[in-house]
């Protein structure tokens, strides 16, 4: 069960998952993915679970994942869905997405005057993500900081229905819908995601 050093024993759901795996006959334990002392050859299989620190180290993380023949999360899937440019792939195949514009380092960022969400294309847990009016100087400051770090930026219109209904995450196992979860809205206008919702906080978000 590959995890990050900040959650060596997995997150709050980890004990339940380990118990379920034990009931299914699996001898499972958490292991920190970048621990140089971990003997990965001792495992029959690897499940990527809570590697929350990969966004700033994605190339290193993918090199680590590529070494395994038996990994529950196939390498090609990890390489594809750890970069949110995959949304453009989905759109090209006719999947409805929130309109998304990618602004690469060096490109001008015309943010307009409407309510937008700005985030890195490689991110997790709402890290470095903010909701702003496009004309807010803090919006341009966030884009500039991410570009200065060499990171691609996503710009999306804020979906106001989230303030009323939240977001619904659907979980599919083996191609079948298993369950759904409702997530409360967390982006206040003019602010980045609150620190408590980001397990891996990489510093201040705005200007």
């Amino acid at each position: 069960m590959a995890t990050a050093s900040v959650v060596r024993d997995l997150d709050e759901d980890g004990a339940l998952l380990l118990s379920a795996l034990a009931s299914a006959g699996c001898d499972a334990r958490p292991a920190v993915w970048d621990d140089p002392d971990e003997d990965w050859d001792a495992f029959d299989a690897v499940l990527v679970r809570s590697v929350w620190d990969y966004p700033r180290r994605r190339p290193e993380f993918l090199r680590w994942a590529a070494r395994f023949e038996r990994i529950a999360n196939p390498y090609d899937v990890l390489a594809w869905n750890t970069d949110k440019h995959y949304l453009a792939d989905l759109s090209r195949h006719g999947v409805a997405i929130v309109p998304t514009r990618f602004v690469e380092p060096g490109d001008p960022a015309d943010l307009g005057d409407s309510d937008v969400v700005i985030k890195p294309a490689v991110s997790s847990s709402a890290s470095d993500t903010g909701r702003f009016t496009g004309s807010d100087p803090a919006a341009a400051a966030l884009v500039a900081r991410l570009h200065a770090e060499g990171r691609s930026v996503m710009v999306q219109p804020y979906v106001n229905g989230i303030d009323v209904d939240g977001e619904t995450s659907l979980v599919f196992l083996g191609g079948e819908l298993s369950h759904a979860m409702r997530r409360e809205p967390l982006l206040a206008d003019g602010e980045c995601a609150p620190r408590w919702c980001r397990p891996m906080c990489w510093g201040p978000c705005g200007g």
Side-chain angles (χ1 to χ4, degrees):
M1 306 277 294
T3 188
S5 59
V6 294
V7 281
R8 287 183 173 272
D9 297 319
L10 305 181
D11 54 21
E12 61 271 21
D13 299 323
L16 295 174
L17 179 56
L18 290 172
S19 176
L21 288 171
S23 297
C26 296
D27 180 14
R29 72 168 177 85
V32 176
W33 73 272
D34 61 345
D35 184 349
D37 297 323
E38 187 61 71
D39 180 12
W40 293 99
D41 293 332
F43 298 103
D44 296 316
V46 175
L47 170 67
V48 174
R49 177 63 172 86
S50 43
V51 291
W52 290 335
D53 53 353
Y54 83 83
R56 289 297 188 98
R57 304 163 61 194
R58 180 172 175 265
E60 179 185 352
F61 169 69
L62 291 178
R63 287 194 297 271
W64 168 84
R67 63 184 288 189
F68 300 110
E69 293 184 4
R70 299 189 63 185
I71 186 167
N73 319 74
Y75 173 83
D76 57 344
V77 175
L78 289 173
W80 182 71
N81 74 2
T82 52
D83 184 330
K84 293 181 177 63
H85 280 88
Y86 72 75
L87 290 173
D89 294 337
L90 294 177
S91 181
R92 282 193 293 268
H93 285 83
V95 178
I97 66 169
V98 174
T100 301
R101 181 162 54 95
F102 293 95
V103 184
E104 308 300 337
D107 290 346
D110 181 4
L111 303 178
D113 296 317
S114 59
D115 210 6
V116 296
V117 173
I118 297 170
K119 67 180 74 172
V122 178
S123 65
S124 66
S125 305
S127 179
D128 294 319
T129 296
R131 172 188 172 191
F132 308 94
T133 300
S135 56
D136 186 338
L142 176 56
V143 172
R145 180 170 67 82
L146 294 173
H147 279 178
E149 296 169 357
R151 305 171 77 184
S152 176
V153 172
M154 298 169 55
V155 180
Q156 299 173 314
Y158 186 74
V159 179
N160 291 318
I162 291 174
D163 291 334
V164 178
D165 300 318
E167 296 181 79
T168 301
S169 297
L170 305 179
V171 179
F172 289 81
L173 301 177
E176 299 290 333
L177 178 63
S178 170
H179 58 284
M181 296 172 288
R182 181 180 182 273
R183 298 187 293 172
E184 297 291 333
L186 56 84
L187 292 177
D189 190 12
E191 297 180 358
C192 282
R195 186 177 297 266
W196 53 261
C197 77
R198 289 181 284 159
M200 299 301 300
C201 179
W202 299 106
C205 209

